[in-house]
Every structure is written in structure tokens, then in C-alpha cells.
Amino acid sequence: MSKVIIIDDEFLARSMVKEYLKKHPQLEVVAECGDGFEGLKAIQEYEPDLIFLDIQMPKISGFEMLELVENPPAVIFATAFDEYAIKAFEAHAIDYLLKPFDQERFDKAVSKFVAQSRPVAVENTKELLNDAQLPGSNNRIVVKNGSKIKIIPVQEVLYLEAADDFVKIFTKEGYYLKNKTMSFFESFLPADMFVRSHRSFIVNIQEITRIDPYEKDGHVAILKNGAKINVSRNGYGKLKGVLGL
């Protein structure tokens, strides 16, 4: 018996999935959730083998919720937005279901789950999270702060600093760790607001008060809060272009 959680903000969508699952007695629905926060709690509590997951939901998206799960279960996405679901998920997720879908299409998705072992599904989910971005989601960063979840609007980010396998995200409140790469954030954050000034730093240009020379061809950016950010020669060129210097 495989444990299943349904995560979708639409009651009718959840009901439809439950109805279709009646043909698959080997799958047991242990919880259904109306948003990503409820989904995260349910995953932590029940440790399901499979989740049916909507993408665009209130509070946090399906993508953002998955980033907070340490060991993601197998995922079948159910979404009404084919512009990214089909193109981004086809090669990675177990399957995607484009709403509205019928029993036959649903059964095919379940068959893929049954045929695919869970370890492969977990790895595919991680690839999906690394390779794809949800349109419109780059205006905020979701992090875990102990047992709490913190949503940081990007305009509140002062700068980012590489820290081994993590990235430190600095705000006025302090910093938060995110298990991502600097390259990810360089492509994720708005290019008109953030510049990678150095291999180890990405800076919010609105926080820069001045840029001073520093050793040979290097520079240092001084932020409003007094922080000093390294600026490489290449980074200096980028900053001058964005700042119109």
C-alpha cells in the first residue's frame, strides 16, 4: 500500500483526484491539503510515497513547497497552466496532468508511478527543482528558519554571499541559508536589481552608496548598512553598466 497526499487549493480538483483513485486500491489517501503550508506539514507527518500537487496556490507555490521538503516524495503535477507544466516537467516529473483530465489520463499517470521506483522519483524531483523556475516566482525567496518558514521579498535582500554548499541571504534582520548555488540566484533574481559583483557576492544595487578602489584592479561596494562587498574587475564592469556610470 502506497500513501498519497493531495495538495490543491481547489476543493473540486481534490475531490476529482480522490474519485479517480478509487480505481487504484493500492494507493491510500492519507491527507488532502488546500495550500502549500498544509501540504508541507502533511508530508512531514505522513511521509507519503506520492503526492498529487497543484502549482499555483495561495501563500506559496507547489515549487516553493517542494524546496522546503528534505526528502521529496514522488510527484504527479496537476495544473491548468500548460505554458510551463508541459515544457518544464515532461522530462523530469513522474507525470503532469493538465486540467481538466479524465480517468484514462489519470490512470496512465498512476501507472508511471507504479512502474517507477521511489528513489528515481526523488532524484527526478530534485532535478526538476534545480532546472525549472515558476514564472513570476522570482519576486520572493522561501527559506526555512528553524521550524518556521520565511518568505523574503527580493527587495528586502541586501546581498547574497556564497558559503560552501549554501548561499547566505542577507536582510536587515540578519541572514538566512538556502541550499542553492550562486549561479541559480544570478539567473533567478531580477537582473535590473541584482548584480553578481564577485564570484562570491550578488548585491542589490539599490543598497550601494559608493564603490571604492581596493587592491590592484579590484573594488569594494559600500552598502547603506555599512557592509563591504567585494567587486571583481568583471563585476565592476557589470555594475557600471547597470548603474549607468
Side-chain angles (χ1 to χ4, degrees):
M1 183 73 71
S2 296
K3 294 183 290 186
V4 175
I5 291 178
I6 305 167
I7 307 170
D8 197 309
D9 63 316
E10 298 177 358
F11 173 78
L12 291 177
R14 299 197 304 271
S15 299
M16 181 177 63
V17 171
K18 285 195 297 183
E19 182 65 26
Y20 288 165
L21 280 170
K22 289 180 178 179
K23 284 188 60 178
H24 304 276
Q26 76 275 30
L27 303 180
E28 177 190 9
V29 178
V30 294
E32 59 175 290
C33 309
D35 62 57
F37 287 126
E38 291 181 9
L40 180 62
K41 292 178 182 178
I43 290 172
Q44 293 171 337
E45 179 178 355
Y46 294 102
E47 297 182 351
D49 303 291
L50 171 67
I51 60 175
F52 289 89
L53 181 63
D54 192 10
I55 297 174
Q56 289 198 353
M57 295 184 291
K59 299 179 181 177
I60 59 173
S61 70
F63 259 140
E64 291 167 334
M65 186 209 74
L66 282 176
E67 286 192 35
L68 301 173
V69 180
E70 292 184 4
N71 296 301
V75 181
I76 294 176
F77 288 94
T79 176
F81 301 93
D82 64 347
E83 66 266 26
Y84 53 84
I86 293 176
K87 294 178 182 178
F89 306 156
E90 187 171 35
H92 299 284
I94 283 185
D95 205 348
Y96 61 85
L97 296 172
L98 184 61
K99 299 175 182 177
F101 47 86
D102 57 18
Q103 180 78 61
E104 181 180 3
R105 180 66 187 86
F106 182 87
D107 292 345
K108 288 181 180 179
V110 171
S111 296
K112 290 182 181 180
F113 165 70
V114 173
Q116 186 168 320
S117 65
R118 184 177 177 183
V120 174
V122 169
E123 177 151 352
N124 283 347
T125 301
K126 289 180 178 178
E127 290 178 11
L128 174 61
L129 292 172
N130 287 332
D131 294 343
Q133 294 178 19
L134 181 65
S137 67
N138 67 339
N139 60 355
R140 61 189 184 180
I141 301 171
V142 181
V143 297
K144 287 187 72 173
N145 183 20
S147 61
K148 298 180 180 180
I149 296 170
K150 173 75 173 178
I151 298 177
I152 308 171
V154 295
Q155 60 267 27
E156 295 182 7
V157 176
L158 308 180
Y159 66 97
L160 300 90
E161 181 180 3
D164 295 324
D165 294 332
F166 293 83
V167 171
K168 289 182 178 180
I169 302 166
F170 286 83
T171 70
K172 292 180 180 179
E173 299 175 352
Y175 73 82
Y176 303 89
L177 287 172
K178 185 79 170 177
N179 189 11
K180 288 286 187 182
T181 64
M182 293 293 283
S183 295
F184 168 83
F185 280 111
E186 185 178 13
S187 60
F188 172 79
L189 292 168
D192 60 345
M193 188 183 301
F194 290 88
V195 170
R196 188 166 185 176
S197 64
H198 185 274
R199 64 179 182 179
S200 298
F201 290 95
I202 295 175
V203 61
N204 183 341
I205 62 172
Q206 297 178 2
E207 296 296 320
I208 298 175
T209 59
R210 70 178 191 270
I211 301 175
D212 294 340
Y214 180 76
E215 292 184 354
K216 297 183 179 180
D217 297 329
H219 289 77
V220 60
I222 311 299
L223 306 192
K224 294 176 183 177
N225 68 347
K228 297 180 179 181
I229 306 301
N230 290 343
V231 179
S232 66
R233 182 168 57 180
N234 185 47
Y236 185 58
K238 293 179 183 177
L239 282 173
K240 287 201 300 182
V242 173
L243 295 171
L245 300 176

